[in-house]
Amino acid sequence: MKILLTVLFFSLSAFAQDAMLLSSNVQGAQYPQMTPDRRVTFRLRAADATKVQVRVELPKSVTLDMTKGDNGYWLVTTAPLPPGFWYYSVIVDGFTTLDPASKTYFGYGRECSGIEISGPDSIAAAALDVPHGTLRDVWYYSPSTKVWRRAKVYTPPGYEKQNNARFPVLYLQHGAGENETSWSNQGRETFIMDNLYSVRPEVRQMIIVNDNGIVPARNPAPATGGGRGSGRAMADNLFAEFGEILTTELIPYIDKNFRTIPDRDHRAFAGLSMGGAQAFRLGLAHLDTFAYLGAFSAAIGNLDLAKDYDGKLADPTTSQRLKLLWMGVGKQDSLHDGLLGVHQSLEKAGVKHVWVESEGGHVWGEWRGYLSQFASLLFQDTPAPKKR
Amino acid sequence: MKILLTVLFFSLSAFAQDAMLLSSNVQGAQYPQMTPDRRVTFRLRAADATKVQVRVELPKSVTLDMTKGDNGYWLVTTAPLPPGFWYYSVIVDGFTTLDPASKTYFGYGRECSGIEISGPDSIAAAALDVPHGTLRDVWYYSPSTKVWRRAKVYTPPGYEKQNNARFPVLYLQHGAGENETSWSNQGRETFIMDNLYSVRPEVRQMIIVNDNGIVPARNPAPATGGGRGSGRAMADNLFAEFGEILTTELIPYIDKNFRTIPDRDHRAFAGLSMGGAQAFRLGLAHLDTFAYLGAFSAAIGNLDLAKDYDGKLADPTTSQRLKLLWMGVGKQDSLHDGLLGVHQSLEKAGVKHVWVESEGGHVWGEWRGYLSQFASLLFQDTPAPKKR
């Protein structure tokens, strides 16, 4: 009992006045801590290390040296941080890795640490006292790649209650280095939608499906090395191979196993960054499948409307067929100027679209906001199922 | 292109002949690799470190020194490993953390790395070409702790197809340092059940619910330190507080939102290690709620049947009321002898129960096997819903 009390006292004394734990901490972790003015203190134990740093992926990445304290602990406190979700890494004597005190989020092609900094954006994405939908892991077989694949499926609060009602579907994709877990984990997609339905009942309840847009090279596979090879092979993977999975395997699975409205007028496709490039290319290639397209900070550059996407954007029937072509990007995003150029080309050519410029960068805080905005515009001509 | 080919060649040359990637690696990671005789090579980059180790939590924990190679990479290859799931950590200059190449698994009170070593046990837990159930994240409000809580709910393959059928429910709990994600992540509960139903159609399809058995002290909360304080407070937390959540909040939520058969004859409660202690104590305290109890490597020591659990085990009506009291433990488990003592006491007192001794230790490989065995015995007097 004496030892226990000592530990307790140390623990108490280590806390700054009014410090808060973060919701992104693992259960029981005493760090990271945040002050009311949003300064974050990181702590880790590396008794024999000579250099320890924390790198926080703010709109501009920041690397801070940690200072060695007692008992092998290293500490550092940031300047006040902007609200939002920020990936971070710790770097111990040249080893870039995770902070064991943080929940993990798949990003940058590996599991990452993250800090959720409360602010106006986070409230929209918090688990509030409203009706909640559910998130499912579903497994479906992919004949084209001969593996079982996992997708994440969010069904809205009304789905279980109204068990004869059918729902439209948004297919929503992550960015490069992320996967099918990213929209629910770091994107907080389920809470954003739950809160949106609660505050704005006119928003149409929809199913949201997240899949992995980077088709793995047979996984687990003989380790013959090499990865995906050339840029050409990478493009085939992101567009041709994923396009085949999406349109011939995933969508039929979802339409078979969920109460969807299985036609183009009740299907949207959107994605962020790399997923935005997929939304443009695959969406325009499959106008029979999707009537709504969304590109969040899309990784596309200047377009030649006459040539790119088989000239689909220059074809006036495209504008007639698409119920919504939505583009958003932050002013601090390095992709901003290229996307502004795309917007201007579309405007000049008379291609109907929605253009949103937000204040931030290439970060999850922006994409959370875009989801609310984009989803609010979807399926508005489809009557909601009657409440029972 | 030249740089790309160089990287490719290095990558090829680094692979041992016939090496396999592990399914526990993150997408795209080239290590850990496994040889056909199940030797695992770990690799990480820590250019400026002086001592780098890997600790693998085999039934007996093994720590291996890594050797510095070219370009700041450290490598080590294990002896042949037993099949199963093994947690591991990397230790870089005294910093115990995760390998960024591994998927993460919540264990030991933090996110951990893990290796999935193929073998007979893993086949039963693999994603095979059989009908798959789905796993849901559900959120429910807990009035007693004033937070929204997440539970994981597995519905069997028949649940969606037979949409008027009702199903019995197994409440299945994790061990200390784990949480509601552990049975589906490291336990591979969903695949075990999918495969079991496919091979043995006489096993009754059931819903499985995993909740967090360690009630968090208001999370996120003012960081006033202190944790859970005394052993008494810890016990209150694990038993009284979790028991209240389970019986008055979680079960009513599940019965309201899923097609359950909402009575004691169609409810089972089981857990591993700490969760096994919860199954004994809470199960015996709530015989009106549960008719089946399972304790997997339960963290309980010698029992005084007359006194412990309010004498419930010594009461002959308990045996009459329980349809199944199931206990399993591995011969290499440090809890084995204590549990053998419990089994002997129960036998001596004529308390009807099933006692299973397996060969392994206090590890997930055993618990996966126990789930199959235990689930096969549940709800056998309840007719399965008719196929449509």
Side-chain angles (χ1 to χ4, degrees), chain A residues 1 4 8 11-12 15 19-23 26-27 30 44-49 90 92-98 100 102-104 106 109-111 127-130 132-139 148 160-161 179 191 212 214 216 219-226 228-230 256-257, chain B residues 1 4 8 11-12 15 19-23 26-27 30 44-49 90 92-98 100 102-104 106 109-111 127-130 132-139 148 160-161 179 191 212 214 219-230 256-257:
Chain A
M1 184 54 88
L4 202 78
L8 184 64
S11 180
L12 277 166
F15 272 92
M20 301 281 293
L21 300 179
L22 302 181
S23 63
V26 296
Q27 185 173 325
Q30 297 293 297
L44 60 85
R45 189 158 193 277
D48 307 319
V90 296
V92 175
D93 288 348
F95 178 46
T96 301
T97 190
L98 293 82
S102 170
K103 292 179 185 168
T104 57
F106 194 74
R110 63 173 176 86
E111 301 283 353
L128 302 180
D129 193 6
V130 300
H132 287 272
T134 65
L135 181 72
R136 305 183 199 199
D137 286 13
V138 299
W139 289 83
W148 282 87
E160 310 285 347
K161 297 288 170 203
N179 66 15
F191 304 114
N212 189 334
I214 300 170
N219 185 12
T224 50
R228 285 186 199 86
S230 68
K256 187 177 170 193
N257 289 281
Chain B
M1 184 53 92
L4 202 80
L8 183 65
S11 180
L12 277 165
F15 272 93
M20 300 281 293
L21 299 180
L22 303 181
S23 63
V26 295
Q27 185 174 325
Q30 297 294 296
L44 61 84
R45 190 158 192 276
D48 308 318
V90 296
V92 175
D93 289 347
F95 177 45
T96 300
T97 188
L98 294 83
S102 170
K103 291 178 186 169
T104 57
F106 195 75
R110 62 171 175 87
E111 301 283 354
L128 303 180
D129 193 6
V130 302
H132 287 272
T134 64
L135 180 72
R136 305 181 200 201
D137 286 15
V138 299
W139 290 82
W148 282 88
E160 309 286 346
K161 298 287 171 204
N179 68 13
F191 303 114
N212 189 334
I214 301 169
N219 186 14
T224 50
R228 288 186 197 83
S230 68
K256 187 176 170 197
N257 289 280

